[in-house]
Amino acid sequence: MSSHLIPTYAPPDLVFERGEGVWLYDANGEAWLDFIAGIAVDALGHCHPALVKALKDQADKLWHVSNMFKVPAREELARRYCENSFADLVFFTNSGTEAIEGALKAARKFHADKGDEGRIEIVTFQGAFHGRSYGAINAGGNPAYMKGFGPHMEGFTQIPFADEEAARAAITNKTAAVLIEPVQGEGGLRAAPDEYLRLLRTLCNETGALLIYDEIQCGAGRTGKMFAHEWSGALPDIMAVAKGVGGGFPLGAWLTTTEVGAHMVVGTHGSTYGGNPLAMQVGIALWDEMMKPGFLDHVTQMGQFLKQQMAGLADTYPDMIEDVRGKGLLCGIKLREPFVNREIMVRARDRGLLTGAAGDNVLRMAPPLIITEEHARKAIRILDEALAASR
Ligand SMILES: *Cc1c(COP(=O)(O)O)cnc(C)c1O
């Protein structure tokens, strides 16, 4: 049967009917261990009871009124984000790309309002991924994502990731903002060293540039802190979040300080769906689960456990595995050529384990944050088999 879907994706011939915790099930009741979680989205696993309840309760009451009207839950979720982060103000979106767009607009507006309309330069990093809108593909700088879509936008400079000299040279008093993922997701799970984020903070302070973190993939508890940059202590001026903060319901946000956010006055930005009551209730329920004592420590422990297990694989297959990458439960293995991440991914899937592929020939894992050692052991056993079968 031919498909009526735009062919931007090529999914395998596999349909899941139901999900529960770390497991997905097809119509025959066969189970898959989900170590990719909808690309780091299903942070609490599938159909977490607290999220299901929040969504169902709200679905019976009110779905949508737009931003024309107040939604008290918006204030409630924004307060939670701000009480536990650098931020004072929040704008809610439906996706990560929209959060990035808002963040970039706010950065330029900040300088424009200071009389520096020409200060538009955004410094970004090789291997970055920030989404698929025009602004986001120009920020990401991946030529394959820009080809055929018209001229490149003005005002984006890309430098090597975690390169100190390049940062010192590129960040000047013409820079509007520096945009970085503290842990690169799509680019191959490279984590920026803590000192590097602190250096960027210093350079931004010295030049008056704003520091923007894209924590769309690495935030929401994934590294064992609510936001990945917390490990470094280097706070941003603006931060984009999405994916895990909605736990599977479309939700994103950009967060900022009063100093920056206050410039985005009535009429400067908007969204029809952003901050809708369904997303807000799910976002609140998810946040409260993650703030429960011990939740984030569990993520840290599981991240360490998985890393040890992956290091074990690297010892067994030194000819295949170059490196173990990532931070917390955003992690993976970089394969040596001629071995290919996607082939290992398919072999693992054939054996009941779902993983992902990232750039730089990395096999990516981003399991639900609720995994246990048993899940991790099982995943590693299957990867072991998949690697052995690929040798
Ligand atoms: C997924 C992702 C985006 C884009 O988010 P969408 O919800 O797909 O629009 C942006 N930045 C990073 C780091 C991401 O992982």
Side-chain angles (χ1 to χ4, degrees):
M1 193 181 68
S2 73
S3 169
H4 292 289
L5 301 176
I6 303 279
T8 47
Y9 289 102
D13 208 6
L14 182 61
V15 177
F16 304 114
E17 194 178 68
R18 189 169 72 76
E20 193 182 326
V22 188
W23 297 91
L24 284 167
Y25 300 90
D26 69 11
N28 299 322
E30 206 165 325
W32 273 263
L33 185 59
D34 187 3
F35 263 51
I36 191 63
I39 315 185
V41 168
D42 306 305
L44 301 183
H46 297 280
C47 293
H48 188 283
L51 303 197
V52 172
K53 182 176 188 321
L55 186 61
K56 281 187 174 168
D57 287 353
Q58 187 59 42
D60 282 335
K61 288 185 203 156
L62 180 67
W63 287 22
H64 178 80
V65 293
S66 89
N67 282 289
M68 283 176 64
F69 298 101
K70 289 191 175 185
V71 170
R74 262 178 219 145
E75 293 289 349
E76 275 182 53
L77 184 53
R79 181 173 53 76
R80 280 168 170 76
Y81 287 180
C82 292
E83 279 177 0
N84 295 280
S85 74
F86 74 99
D88 310 308
L89 297 169
V90 180
F91 186 98
F92 289 110
T93 69
N94 314 288
S95 71
T97 303
E98 289 168 82
I100 289 292
E101 290 287 331
L104 294 175
K105 284 174 72 177
R108 285 184 174 175
K109 186 75 162 65
F110 171 79
H111 295 292
D113 279 8
K114 292 197 155 178
D116 212 349
E117 194 110 19
R119 190 166 180 170
I120 61 163
E121 203 62 33
I122 312 286
V123 172
T124 66
F125 295 84
Q126 286 167 13
F129 180 79
H130 299 298
R132 297 290 201 150
S133 64
Y134 281 120
I137 57 176
N138 279 275
N142 183 339
Y145 295 170
M146 286 193 278
K147 193 172 180 298
F149 300 121
H152 293 187
M153 271 180 194
E154 231 185 298
F156 292 93
T157 303
Q158 196 157 58
I159 63 173
F161 188 74
D163 182 319
E164 182 176 332
E165 281 317 300
R168 287 186 188 281
I171 301 168
T172 68
N173 57 13
K174 293 202 167 52
T175 307
V178 176
L179 169 61
I180 188 168
E181 296 156 83
V183 184
Q184 284 193 335
E186 308 299 312
L189 304 184
R190 285 183 298 176
D194 291 343
E195 317 82 72
Y196 192 69
L197 295 183
R198 289 194 286 268
L199 171 72
L200 293 180
R201 181 68 270 174
T202 303
L203 294 173
C204 285
N205 289 350
E206 286 170 5
T207 57
L210 299 176
L211 181 57
I212 307 174
Y213 289 146
D214 179 343
E215 292 235 14
I216 290 165
Q217 191 156 161
C218 61
R222 190 143 287 279
T223 66
K225 299 271 190 201
M226 193 53 98
F227 301 112
H229 70 265
E230 290 172 28
W231 292 105
S232 72
L235 303 181
D237 299 292
I238 309 175
M239 174 170 70
V241 298
K243 290 199 166 91
V245 292
F249 198 88
L251 167 62
W254 51 278
L255 290 65
T256 188
T257 58
T258 305
E259 201 193 350
V260 174
H263 295 273
M264 299 299 279
V265 296
V266 172
T268 55
H269 195 57
S271 166
T272 298
Y273 287 124
N276 80 79
L278 298 167
M280 294 299 95
Q281 291 302 339
V282 174
I284 289 168
L286 179 130
W287 186 269
D288 290 348
E289 286 298 316
M290 284 197 183
M291 290 305 277
K292 283 185 178 166
F295 185 93
L296 293 172
D297 291 340
H298 173 79
V299 177
T300 303
Q301 281 161 20
M302 287 304 111
Q304 280 164 358
F305 184 75
L306 199 54
K307 196 162 210 169
Q308 280 166 13
Q309 299 276 308
M310 287 191 294
L313 285 180
D315 287 344
T316 313
Y317 301 96
D319 54 322
M320 301 182 78
I321 298 176
E322 184 176 317
D323 200 7
V324 170
R325 295 259 188 103
K327 199 161 188 165
L329 289 177
L330 182 56
C331 56
I333 51 186
K334 174 165 166 54
L335 293 153
R336 283 186 207 281
E337 285 177 17
F339 302 102
V340 178
N341 56 357
R342 285 179 194 280
E343 284 174 17
I344 311 288
M345 180 185 84
V346 169
R347 291 215 161 88
R349 191 172 70 215
D350 290 344
R351 290 166 171 79
L353 174 70
L354 305 177
T355 61
D360 214 14
N361 207 15
V362 170
L363 183 82
R364 168 169 41 176
M365 288 191 277
L369 306 181
I370 57 166
I371 58 163
T372 62
E373 286 192 3
E374 211 158 310
H375 295 124
R377 273 200 205 93
K378 181 155 179 75
I380 293 296
R381 248 191 334 264
I382 294 175
L383 279 183
D384 193 337
E385 289 170 23
L387 288 160
S390 308
R391 219 174 196 172

